[in-house]
Amino acid sequence: MLFIDGSWLYHVRPYLLNLDGKPDFEIDYKALPMLVKDHLQGQMNAEVDLVRTNYFGTIAVNKPGHDNQRERQFYEMLNKRCFYNTEIYEFDFRNRESGRKENCLETGLTSVALFHAFQTGVFEVACLLAGDIDYQPLLKHLRLLGKRTMLLGVRGSNGFYPTHPRLLEEANLFDFPPLFLDDHLKKLQYQRVEQIRTCDNCGKEEATTFTSEWFYCRNCRDEHRQMRTRQNLET
Ligand SMILES: [Zn+2]
């Protein structure tokens, strides 16, 4: 079973992008679980069944001037198209000055992992994609419960080491060598395929890389945007 700290992955994404040297580098979220499965199969020399991919993310609320529609669409894509199990926690911007940690992501991931670990026969290996040392107690307890553990990390370079060194160095946390995302950028890159689609509004055909259920051509999108701007100015 795979557990992804989406907040951490979001923060290391720019680094992976730079490594690749392509500004349009995007992670293929369907390829990620396959990569884990292949890596484990190689390590275990046995057929591996990846039971579930659990993704933990945050969504900004009450952030002035911020529309969280794109975040919502992203999580919906993970859920509906990539079959991830998503748990999204609100990141409330109202009380940010308090300096407290404003979301429940790490506790959420830990709770879900332990919950599944207690169900007999649900999974045998917990694969954790995260970089924070906060997960150390979880890893220790998963192993006390007889589960095996594996880390998905990022190697880093030039003084940038996103995976906490203690996660990599401390003995008795993991049962397999870590899988470093930097080593598999080719497999992880999302390949956009251009295709001809018909606009759901005006019926015009246009080449696009959009894979959404509904498709609107460039003209209709521009018109819609202008209309929304006018509406915003009027209200
Ligand atoms: Zn159109």
Side-chain angles (χ1 to χ4, degrees):
M1 193 177 280
L2 176 56
F3 301 92
I4 300 175
D5 180 329
S7 176
W8 184 78
L9 184 57
Y10 178 80
H11 284 107
V12 299
R13 232 186 96 250
Y15 168 78
L16 294 174
L17 257 139
N18 270 336
L19 260 192
D20 192 62
K22 290 180 196 147
D24 59 346
F25 180 84
E26 282 177 67
I27 295 174
D28 183 343
Y29 287 92
K30 270 189 183 162
L32 181 60
M34 297 315 288
L35 188 70
V36 177
K37 182 181 152 100
D38 287 350
H39 181 80
L40 258 185
Q41 286 188 161
Q43 291 297 325
M44 298 175 79
N45 203 13
E47 182 74 21
V48 167
D49 174 22
L50 192 93
V51 236
R52 188 176 293 165
T53 299
N54 297 285
Y55 185 102
F56 302 83
T58 58
I59 191 155
V61 292
N62 301 313
K63 190 178 179 183
H66 175 76
D67 181 2
N68 62 16
Q69 194 194 359
R70 280 186 69 135
E71 289 147 87
R72 278 188 277 124
Q73 282 170 345
F74 171 69
Y75 294 134
E76 201 176 298
M77 182 275 295
L78 286 184
N79 190 236
K80 291 198 173 147
R81 301 170 68 91
C82 304
F83 306 103
Y84 281 30
N85 210 71
T86 52
E87 285 223 13
I88 310 304
Y89 304 101
E90 288 190 346
F91 198 124
D92 197 331
F93 275 72
R94 261 180 314 194
N95 308 308
R96 281 210 77 185
E97 301 79 44
S98 67
R100 278 183 311 215
K101 234 179 199 177
E102 295 287 353
N103 70 75
C104 315
L105 195 149
E106 280 157 12
T107 318
L109 189 155
T110 301
S111 310
V112 171
L114 286 175
F115 173 81
H116 288 306
F118 270 103
Q119 321 290 313
T120 315
V122 171
F123 74 87
E124 285 162 33
V125 183
C127 302
L128 176 70
L129 197 170
D132 298 334
I133 195 68
D134 310 46
Y135 292 113
Q136 198 189 38
L138 166 68
L139 293 160
K140 284 189 171 162
H141 284 86
L142 284 172
R143 299 186 83 227
L144 281 175
L145 286 165
K147 305 297 176 189
R148 280 177 285 176
T149 55
M150 187 183 94
L151 179 71
L152 281 85
V154 170
R155 257 183 225 286
S157 63
N158 297 327
F160 180 72
Y161 299 101
T163 303
H164 199 288
R166 269 168 63 201
L167 277 184
L168 296 172
E169 288 155 15
E170 203 155 312
N172 302 328
L173 282 185
F174 297 103
D175 299 88
F176 301 98
L179 167 67
F180 289 110
L181 300 183
D182 346 19
D183 297 344
H184 301 277
L185 290 181
K186 278 220 161 63
K187 278 186 191 164
L188 275 177
Q189 181 173 16
Y190 182 67
Q191 307 286 345
R192 284 194 170 272
V193 183
E194 201 168 78
Q195 52 177 338
I196 304 290
R197 292 189 65 177
T198 310
C199 174
D200 281 307
N201 185 45
C202 71
K204 197 182 124 193
E205 287 192 332
E206 195 174 272
T208 180
T209 54
F210 283 130
T211 51
S212 53
E213 196 177 335
W214 300 97
F215 173 69
Y216 299 110
C217 71
R218 200 164 284 120
N219 271 345
C220 290
R221 288 202 305 273
D222 283 348
E223 268 173 30
H224 182 71
R225 204 172 300 127
Q226 280 162 14
M227 198 179 72
R228 272 183 64 169
T229 314
R230 273 200 303 274
Q231 279 173 348
N232 281 342
L233 287 173
E234 280 162 15
T235 50

